[in-house]
Amino acid sequence: MTVHVDKPKDLPQSVTIGPIHGSHKVYAAPKDRADIRVPFREIVLTDANEPPVRVYDPSGPYTETDAAIDLGRGLPLVREAWIASRGYASTEARPVKPEGNGHVSADKLVAPCPADRVLRRAAQDQMVTQYEFARAGIITEEMIYVAHRENLCREAILAQAGAKIADGESFGASIPPFITPEFVRQEVARGRAIIPANINHPELEPMVIGRNFLVKINANIGNSAVVSTAADEVEKLVWAIRWGADTVMDLSTGRNIHNIRSWIMRNSPVPIGTVPIYQALEKVGGDPTKLDWEVFKDTLIEQAEQGVDYFTIHAGVRLPYVPLTANRVTGIVSRGGSIMARWCLAHHKESFLYERFDVICDIMRAYDVSFSLGDGLRPGSIADANDAAQFAELETLGELTKVAWSKGCQVMIEGPGHVPMHKIKVNMDKQLRECGEAPFYTLGPLTTDIAPGYDHITSGIGAAMIGWFGTAMLCYVTPKEHLGLPNRDDVKTGVITYKIAAHAADLAKGHPAAQIRDDALSRARFDFRWEDQFNLSLDPDTARAYHDETLPKDAHKLAHFCSMCGPKFCSMKITQDLRAEVAAMSPEAQEQLAGMRAKSHEFLASGGKLYVDQP
Amino acid sequence: MTVHVDKPKDLPQSVTIGPIHGSHKVYAAPKDRADIRVPFREIVLTDANEPPVRVYDPSGPYTETDAAIDLGRGLPLVREAWIASRGYASTEARPVKPEGNGHVSADKLVAPCPADRVLRRAAQDQMVTQYEFARAGIITEEMIYVAHRENLCREAILAQAGAKIADGESFGASIPPFITPEFVRQEVARGRAIIPANINHPELEPMVIGRNFLVKINANIGNSAVVSTAADEVEKLVWAIRWGADTVMDLSTGRNIHNIRSWIMRNSPVPIGTVPIYQALEKVGGDPTKLDWEVFKDTLIEQAEQGVDYFTIHAGVRLPYVPLTANRVTGIVSRGGSIMARWCLAHHKESFLYERFDVICDIMRAYDVSFSLGDGLRPGSIADANDAAQFAELETLGELTKVAWSKGCQVMIEGPGHVPMHKIKVNMDKQLRECGEAPFYTLGPLTTDIAPGYDHITSGIGAAMIGWFGTAMLCYVTPKEHLGLPNRDDVKTGVITYKIAAHAADLAKGHPAAQIRDDALSRARFDFRWEDQFNLSLDPDTARAYHDETLPKDAHKLAHFCSMCGPKFCSMKITQDLRAEVAAMSPEAQEQLAGMRAKSHEFLASGGKLYVDQP
């Protein structure tokens, strides 16, 4: 099915809707704020003794049981009342110019999303960013929302008698047992967390990015060479968030980008990020040397008005750093970085992004567009990791972070790239130090260059580690990285791989509730509750399909063994038999067993070194 | 095609043969030993300035350009002359009993491999194991072979002027710049490395497992419920080693296992490991409580005679430890561990594997079968990681390591399992301490339980980390783990994932030559030499296929851009233009640029903190 954008009254559905198998969406309100509805995905288990497991859910209304989606109208306006109450003047949108849509011919023009929204812009003397509110001691609705969202199961954990204390190693992070709106405010005020939330994106379900919160992941989407329909482009977003993407970057270039972006913004429940220099480059015909401040500034305003939540700005690519890349194995691999390097060298001038950084701050502040300070000089190979060019830029990003904060803006910092395992922690430590703990947002890093086709894995390893060390958001890499454009399956594989990395990091950091899902799944596994095992997994469809390849019958889903070992060799079956045997023992035998257990504890205690301290 | 085992004269080919795309097999001899032919895979590049890249190659004669494979005759006898010169008496094989093939009916019996081999067994007073030779100061041909094999490109690196010194962090390993046969001998003598090499496996291309060598990977294979042909079973081995498995464990159970194993042994160039308790259990009808020492001992001799190179022996599952597993979330998840726990508890007796360990050593020594001391109490979930049961067993494995060494045996130690990232290093450190640096051989570990269907990835993260920390061999996990039997694609995915983990570990440890392949591939990438990029990758077929999905035309393989960004946005293209621009500059402009570079270096130097020390 396609969206007929010229007949908005008759929009058919063409994006993926409905709950993920074995779960349903629930909304819950924080205490005393019934008006704030925070979404979760609830997995109900087949064992009556097992409580349902609630998981974080960035997928928006698309996964509601009877999702009523109308792309032409856009999503419900979650934030409208909050933003309206803050009193910003409505303003006229800057006129759309032909170059905004890549000079597309009339017959190929995709109409803009017809959904009407009030366009707002804060005055100079109005507080508008979450950072400004936080610094002023004001707790916004967005802060209340994300606090409740992050607390996922923590109440239940804390309420348990003898609740297990998470035993992670967080490398100096300050993860609290329970997250209050005031904690969120403090973190945002310190610049240690951001809530990317453009005031022109009222459809947003707010989320927070910071090292004391759950590790987040980003998925990139981009338009196809031939744009089929607006719905096809929105579907890329819907598909990525369905599997767990917390934010989405729209890296589209070429024709129809302004209008396609309007469809994406009006239908996105997650923050959308862009790299404005891409569209600016399109406007000057693709020649980096023709870029200038005016066209860039115009692009910033254009996209801020549309509601983009964060911009990648490569302001750290300074003229003196360009020669530092001369002897690299892979030069400059960031698109934005190479564009700016080319400009600087062609004009023998300092970057206009660096020189006008204060004006960029003023523009972004007026809409609360967050900075994602781009790492234009990130290493593109193991050989170039942690080199002078990379670290020079990182130091400049630290300098710019402070400027942005002084201007009231929210900031996160982009990071590498290709880095072998032993050089990962240095990146994290340096970023925390240089950038005053502003959230780090890394691409991988890839831990080796030799596996194109599997770079979701080479980078998933690095992502899990740097997430553990303190990175707040991980930008996904798909199996097609370095080779081609990801298809639907690649996007899903990339998102699931990064959910694994982020969750492994949460476990290792000692997030108080992270292990609940692991434990529920492992109990299901040990009890041979196959359906529960599938439904608790990150990808129930694949888990079920893999199981059914060998044992397709429904009866096997109740079987107390699986195809790997069969009934005779099933260790879990044998262990269960063993437990049953103990249960059926005579009182004397049980007593003997208890003695043996005591003896074994005694034996262990005498060893003295059984419980090894964390390093 | 199938192998008609009843007509051995007319054996058709039915395993995968021929080189991996873009490469060919070469054999090279160590200095002064022209009789020792060590295999490598050589990737020739399209740029005349780029030297060919030699990579480690466990795939055996199957990947020769004109591979002549005859499964009925078995592989060439690489080691025959070496073993023969050591003067062991030939002996009669123990008679094959019906239970050795699972009481298979005559019509379903697979005939044994017809290849004839001398069966040998060392006398009590003969040195036979690599450990014994090493302790006696004798350098065996196997040691010379593996030294040359490991040195892969190191000569070239050392010969380069200004050779880059690897900057890894090896956590106390002692990786030398160049590996000599004497270094191998010392490592084997210290018990810090093993060369699994049964004297009845003359087809073996020797390899070494130890933390000061390249990290190795193991793939598991097992027979299907319905054995189609012996060739089908051999193909599983051939397929796994084609993509890089360094050893293969045959975990078959049920019918025809003795005879199928004869086909595998005679056609395997890599060490084969087994878990003898599986076959012993078959012999007593599948009831763990009916096991006894005699049937186990008989199985050890049976498999040692066939040439199996290492045995997993779960001798650390002691009676007093069984109750320690009572409150675990997932009990005992090792098949061997659960079998022995059941036996111990049913008989209220200490494990016969533990009690007869010295006799087991005597049997294994006589053929030089290496120990892989099984971790029968490994954790099967995040909740159970690093618990009392696991560490109690590890301490016992340390005790048994010393017994095995005193008996002249080679030993490695199996490890977990499911372990969150922050608990991985504790495992490695404890293993090194308890087991006197005997090689560690781990299954993953899986860093979260929540992703069945993607456990190659959850475990690849843990495998890369523990490999970096010092694990010598990583046992692969396929996407089907916990769900079903891996098919051909799953095996390949598992092997490639673990090659990634092992290589990432080699890079991080600072293996002197590990980065050569990364650098060659990254140069190919930056130069848009697509064919070279594919051929240098771990899986050229997949890399090429992914590229061709978007840009199928041959002309595109020469294109100076790819489908991700297109020509206008290609950072590498822009960087190349940038370099060309500099090259074309006037002398004055170049001078100015040099000044800028100097200035930028000056700028950086003034920052003072650019090059951060390793942690």
Side-chain angles (χ1 to χ4, degrees):
Chain A
M1 285 189 288
T2 54
V3 169
H4 302 283
V5 288
D6 48 343
K7 288 185 283 175
K9 276 165 210 139
D10 186 30
L11 282 178
Q13 201 51 256
S14 73
V15 296
T16 304
I17 56 168
I20 290 176
H21 199 289
S23 65
H24 60 270
K25 168 101 59 187
V26 294
Y27 290 94
K31 201 159 163 283
D32 303 329
R33 284 303 296 258
D35 60 316
I36 296 182
R37 296 171 72 234
V38 181
F40 300 95
R41 187 161 77 83
E42 190 166 86
I43 304 164
V44 177
L45 306 180
T46 59
D47 183 333
N49 296 318
E50 289 278 342
V53 176
R54 278 195 183 179
V55 301
Y56 194 98
D57 183 8
S59 64
Y62 300 100
T63 50
E64 288 177 0
T65 302
D66 300 300
I69 301 296
D70 180 338
L71 300 183
R73 293 172 63 108
L75 294 179
L77 305 185
V78 174
R79 297 172 64 216
E80 179 61 25
W82 314 339
I83 302 165
S85 73
R86 293 167 198 162
Y88 310 117
S90 69
T91 167
E92 276 299 297
R94 155 201 167 287
V96 180
K97 302 167 196 165
E99 61 264 34
N101 281 308
H103 294 288
V104 64
S105 56
D107 60 318
K108 294 202 170 116
L109 182 72
V110 172
C113 179
D116 248 347
R117 299 288 184 262
V118 182
L119 173 59
R120 296 185 173 97
R121 181 187 168 107
Q124 276 248 292
D125 59 351
Q126 279 182 304
M127 279 197 291
V128 57
T129 71
Q130 298 291 322
Y131 181 75
E132 289 172 313
F133 286 117
R135 300 283 293 180
I138 296 166
I139 294 173
T140 61
E141 284 82 358
E142 286 85 352
M143 296 172 197
I144 300 170
Y145 190 105
V146 303
H148 196 60
R149 198 169 196 183
E150 292 278 329
N151 267 328
L152 204 63
C153 303
R154 292 201 200 182
E155 296 97 326
I157 288 280
L158 290 172
Q160 276 171 18
K164 192 175 152 188
I165 292 148
D167 60 358
E169 162 59 62
S170 74
F171 299 104
S174 310
I175 303 166
F178 190 78
I179 289 178
T180 60
E182 170 58 17
F183 177 77
V184 175
R185 187 199 64 73
Q186 287 169 14
E187 290 292 295
V188 173
R190 282 184 66 154
R192 206 151 67 173
I194 67 171
I195 301 175
N198 186 322
I199 55 170
N200 291 315
H201 190 191
E203 302 87 353
L204 181 76
E205 297 177 349
M207 53 81 71
V208 65
I209 301 169
R211 89 194 253 237
N212 292 319
F213 301 97
L214 290 162
V215 175
K216 304 301 187 301
I217 69 168
N218 173 71
N220 296 330
I221 61 171
N223 56 347
S224 314
V226 179
V227 174
S228 38
T229 69
D232 289 346
E233 301 302 314
V234 175
E235 170 64 6
K236 293 176 184 170
L237 159 80
V238 171
W239 184 246
I241 62 178
R242 180 177 184 83
W243 299 111
D246 294 291
T247 79
V248 167
M249 289 195 78
D250 176 14
L251 304 181
S252 298
T253 55
R255 293 186 303 196
N256 283 314
I257 48 175
H258 180 95
N259 288 1
I260 292 287
R261 195 185 300 121
S262 74
W263 288 91
I264 289 171
M265 289 310 313
R266 300 290 69 81
N267 290 285
S268 176
V270 302
I272 297 293
T274 61
V275 187
I277 200 91
Y278 294 175
Q279 191 179 11
L281 185 65
E282 292 283 354
K283 291 180 183 175
V284 297
D287 180 351
T289 64
K290 297 214 174 93
L291 281 168
D292 63 29
W293 164 244
E294 288 306 323
V295 71
F296 186 75
K297 176 180 151 189
D298 175 64
T299 309
L300 290 183
I301 295 169
E302 172 182 359
Q303 298 195 8
E305 285 183 355
Q306 286 192 298
V308 173
D309 301 285
Y310 62 91
F311 288 159
T312 295
I313 306 282
H314 294 97
V317 181
R318 295 191 55 195
L319 178 65
Y321 304 159
V322 178
L324 293 176
T325 66
N327 296 321
R328 279 182 156 186
V329 169
T330 45
I332 300 175
V333 296
S334 148
R335 279 195 259 173
S338 61
I339 292 164
M340 288 313 300
R342 190 84 206 286
W343 187 92
C344 289
L345 212 59
H347 296 281
H348 286 269
K349 273 194 198 162
E350 186 56 275
S351 155
F352 60 83
L353 300 179
Y354 181 79
E355 297 210 318
R356 310 276 186 144
F357 192 73
D358 55 343
V359 189
I360 296 173
C361 291
D362 290 337
I363 295 168
M364 288 171 63
R365 190 205 71 91
Y367 309 90
D368 197 6
V369 179
S370 298
F371 275 97
S372 183
L373 289 174
D375 56 336
L377 302 180
R378 68 168 175 266
S381 56
I382 292 296
D384 296 342
N386 294 16
D387 75 351
Q390 183 197 338
F391 283 166
E393 181 186 36
L394 182 53
E395 290 172 19
T396 297
L397 299 186
E399 170 199 330
L400 297 175
T401 299
K402 280 134 212 167
V403 175
W405 282 342
S406 75
K407 290 282 193 171
C409 294
Q410 303 193 85
V411 192
M412 62 181 169
I413 313 292
E414 295 183 12
H418 292 237
V419 185
M421 284 191 285
H422 64 295
K423 294 186 177 173
I424 292 177
K425 192 153 189 303
V426 176
N427 276 274
M428 188 71 234
D429 294 346
K430 185 171 174 73
Q431 189 274 340
L432 289 172
R433 197 168 56 243
E434 299 289 344
C435 304
E437 295 190 80
F440 205 22
Y441 165 32
T442 63
L443 179 71
L446 286 72
T447 54
T448 166
D449 304 340
I450 67 167
Y454 299 81
D455 278 330
H456 58 306
I457 299 176
T458 64
S459 69
I461 294 166
M465 291 175 68
I466 207 163
W468 175 26
F469 299 153
T471 289
M473 186 158 77
L474 308 168
C475 182
Y476 90 160
V477 170
T478 79
K480 290 280 169 59
E481 182 77 14
H482 298 117
L483 296 170
L485 294 170
N487 62 25
R488 198 172 164 81
D489 287 343
D490 297 322
V491 167
K492 182 175 170 184
T493 300
V495 169
I496 300 284
T497 301
Y498 273 68
K499 286 299 287 180
I500 290 170
H503 184 74
D506 286 334
L507 279 176
K509 285 169 78 175
H511 183 290
Q515 205 179 307
I516 289 181
R517 189 171 179 180
D518 294 79
D519 292 352
L521 190 144
S522 290
R523 284 193 301 272
R525 183 172 281 157
F526 192 67
D527 291 348
F528 299 100
R529 285 181 277 116
W530 289 99
E531 284 295 336
D532 291 350
Q533 188 185 156
F534 303 151
N535 293 340
L536 283 162
S537 72
L538 287 177
D539 177 2
D541 300 342
T542 297
R544 183 173 286 102
Y546 281 2
H547 176 269
D548 289 359
E549 263 182 45
T550 338
L551 289 179
K553 289 183 201 146
D554 270 355
H556 284 132
K557 303 221 177 59
L558 303 171
H560 275 206
F561 60 90
C562 68
S563 58
M564 283 84 80
C565 312
K568 277 198 292 193
F569 281 92
C570 178
S571 58
M572 295 210 184
K573 174 76 169 60
I574 298 172
T575 308
Q576 289 192 345
D577 290 353
L578 193 148
R579 285 187 183 175
E581 195 173 309
V582 173
M585 278 179 176
S586 67
E588 297 76 41
Q590 292 227 11
E591 210 165 293
Q592 193 187 342
L593 183 68
M596 190 195 305
R597 194 183 295 140
K599 205 172 134 198
S600 114
H601 274 298
E602 192 183 301
F603 171 93
L604 294 172
S606 73
K609 288 177 305 181
L610 253 193
Y611 296 93
V612 179
D613 294 335
Q614 298 307 319
Chain B
M1 285 190 288
T2 54
V3 169
H4 303 282
V5 288
D6 47 344
K7 289 186 281 178
K9 276 165 211 142
D10 186 30
L11 281 178
Q13 201 52 257
S14 73
V15 296
T16 303
I17 56 167
I20 289 177
H21 199 289
S23 65
H24 59 272
K25 168 103 56 187
V26 294
Y27 290 94
K31 204 161 160 283
D32 302 329
R33 284 303 296 258
D35 60 316
I36 296 182
R37 295 172 72 233
V38 181
F40 299 95
R41 186 161 78 83
E42 190 164 86
I43 304 164
V44 177
L45 305 181
T46 59
D47 183 332
N49 295 318
E50 288 279 341
V53 175
R54 278 197 182 178
V55 301
Y56 194 98
D57 183 8
S59 63
Y62 301 100
T63 49
E64 289 176 359
T65 302
D66 299 302
I69 301 296
D70 180 339
L71 299 183
R73 293 173 62 106
L75 294 180
L77 305 186
V78 174
R79 298 173 64 216
E80 178 60 26
W82 315 339
I83 303 166
S85 73
R86 292 168 198 161
Y88 310 117
S90 70
T91 167
E92 276 300 298
R94 155 201 167 286
V96 180
K97 300 169 197 165
E99 62 264 36
N101 281 309
H103 295 286
V104 64
S105 56
D107 60 319
K108 296 208 169 112
L109 182 73
V110 171
C113 180
D116 248 347
R117 299 287 184 263
V118 182
L119 174 58
R120 297 184 172 98
R121 182 189 167 107
Q124 275 247 292
D125 59 351
Q126 281 181 302
M127 278 197 290
V128 56
T129 71
Q130 298 290 323
Y131 181 75
E132 288 171 316
F133 286 117
R135 299 284 294 182
I138 296 167
I139 293 173
T140 61
E141 284 83 358
E142 286 85 352
M143 296 171 197
I144 299 170
Y145 190 106
V146 303
H148 196 60
R149 198 169 197 184
E150 292 278 328
N151 266 329
L152 204 65
C153 303
R154 291 201 201 183
E155 295 98 325
I157 289 279
L158 290 171
Q160 277 170 19
K164 193 175 151 189
I165 291 147
D167 60 358
E169 162 61 60
S170 74
F171 300 104
S174 308
I175 303 166
F178 190 77
I179 290 178
T180 60
E182 169 58 17
F183 177 77
V184 175
R185 187 199 65 73
Q186 287 170 15
E187 290 293 295
V188 173
R190 283 185 66 155
R192 205 151 66 172
I194 67 171
I195 301 175
N198 186 321
I199 55 170
N200 291 313
H201 190 191
E203 303 86 353
L204 180 76
E205 296 177 350
M207 53 79 72
V208 65
I209 301 169
R211 87 194 255 239
N212 292 319
F213 301 97
L214 291 162
V215 176
K216 304 301 188 298
I217 69 168
N218 172 72
N220 296 329
I221 61 171
N223 57 347
S224 314
V226 179
V227 174
S228 37
T229 69
D232 289 346
E233 301 302 315
V234 175
E235 170 65 5
K236 292 176 185 169
L237 159 80
V238 171
W239 186 246
I241 63 178
R242 180 177 183 83
W243 299 110
D246 294 291
T247 79
V248 166
M249 289 195 77
D250 176 13
L251 305 182
S252 296
T253 55
R255 294 187 302 197
N256 285 313
I257 48 176
H258 180 95
N259 289 1
I260 291 287
R261 196 184 301 120
S262 73
W263 287 91
I264 290 171
M265 290 311 312
R266 299 291 69 80
N267 290 285
S268 177
V270 301
I272 297 293
T274 61
V275 188
I277 200 91
Y278 293 176
Q279 193 180 8
L281 186 65
E282 291 284 354
K283 291 180 182 175
V284 297
D287 180 350
T289 64
K290 297 213 174 94
L291 281 168
D292 63 30
W293 165 243
E294 287 305 325
V295 72
F296 186 75
K297 177 180 150 189
D298 174 64
T299 308
L300 290 183
I301 294 169
E302 171 183 358
Q303 298 195 8
E305 286 183 352
Q306 287 191 298
V308 173
D309 300 286
Y310 63 89
F311 288 158
T312 296
I313 306 281
H314 294 97
V317 181
R318 296 192 54 195
L319 177 64
Y321 304 159
V322 178
L324 293 176
T325 66
N327 295 321
R328 279 182 156 187
V329 168
T330 46
I332 300 174
V333 296
S334 148
R335 280 196 258 172
S338 61
I339 292 165
M340 289 313 300
R342 191 82 207 288
W343 187 93
C344 290
L345 212 59
H347 297 280
H348 286 269
K349 273 193 197 164
E350 185 55 276
S351 154
F352 59 84
L353 300 179
Y354 182 79
E355 297 210 318
R356 311 276 185 143
F357 191 73
D358 54 344
V359 190
I360 296 173
C361 290
D362 290 338
I363 295 168
M364 288 171 64
R365 190 205 71 90
Y367 309 89
D368 197 6
V369 179
S370 298
F371 276 97
S372 184
L373 289 174
D375 57 334
L377 302 181
R378 69 169 173 267
S381 55
I382 293 297
D384 296 342
N386 295 16
D387 75 351
Q390 182 196 338
F391 282 166
E393 181 187 35
L394 182 54
E395 290 172 18
T396 297
L397 299 185
E399 170 199 330
L400 297 174
T401 299
K402 279 133 213 166
V403 175
W405 282 341
S406 74
K407 289 283 190 173
C409 294
Q410 303 194 84
V411 192
M412 63 180 168
I413 314 292
E414 295 183 11
H418 291 238
V419 185
M421 283 191 285
H422 65 296
K423 293 186 177 173
I424 292 177
K425 192 153 190 302
V426 176
N427 276 274
M428 188 70 234
D429 294 345
K430 185 171 175 72
Q431 189 273 342
L432 289 172
R433 197 168 56 242
E434 299 289 344
C435 304
E437 296 190 79
F440 205 22
Y441 165 33
T442 62
L443 178 72
L446 286 72
T447 52
T448 166
D449 304 339
I450 68 167
Y454 299 81
D455 278 331
H456 58 306
I457 300 176
T458 64
S459 69
I461 294 166
M465 291 175 70
I466 206 162
W468 175 25
F469 300 153
T471 289
M473 186 157 77
L474 307 169
C475 181
Y476 90 161
V477 170
T478 78
K480 289 281 168 61
E481 182 77 14
H482 298 117
L483 296 170
L485 294 171
N487 62 24
R488 198 172 165 81
D489 288 342
D490 297 322
V491 167
K492 181 174 171 185
T493 301
V495 169
I496 300 283
T497 302
Y498 273 68
K499 286 299 289 178
I500 290 169
H503 184 74
D506 286 334
L507 279 177
K509 285 169 80 175
H511 183 289
Q515 203 179 308
I516 288 181
R517 190 171 179 181
D518 294 78
D519 291 353
L521 190 145
S522 289
R523 284 194 300 272
R525 183 172 281 158
F526 192 66
D527 291 348
F528 299 99
R529 284 181 277 116
W530 289 99
E531 284 296 334
D532 291 350
Q533 188 185 157
F534 303 152
N535 293 339
L536 284 162
S537 71
L538 288 176
D539 177 2
D541 301 342
T542 296
R544 184 173 286 102
Y546 280 3
H547 176 268
D548 289 358
E549 263 183 46
T550 337
L551 288 178
K553 289 183 201 147
D554 270 354
H556 283 134
K557 303 222 176 59
L558 303 171
H560 275 207
F561 60 90
C562 68
S563 59
M564 283 85 80
C565 314
K568 277 197 293 193
F569 281 93
C570 178
S571 59
M572 297 212 182
K573 174 75 170 60
I574 297 173
T575 308
Q576 289 192 344
D577 290 352
L578 193 148
R579 285 188 184 175
E581 195 174 309
V582 173
M585 275 178 179
S586 67
E588 298 75 42
Q590 291 226 13
E591 208 165 294
Q592 191 187 345
L593 185 67
M596 191 194 307
R597 194 183 296 140
K599 206 173 133 195
S600 113
H601 275 298
E602 191 184 303
F603 170 92
L604 294 172
S606 73
K609 288 176 305 183
L610 255 192
Y611 296 93
V612 179
D613 294 335
Q614 297 309 319

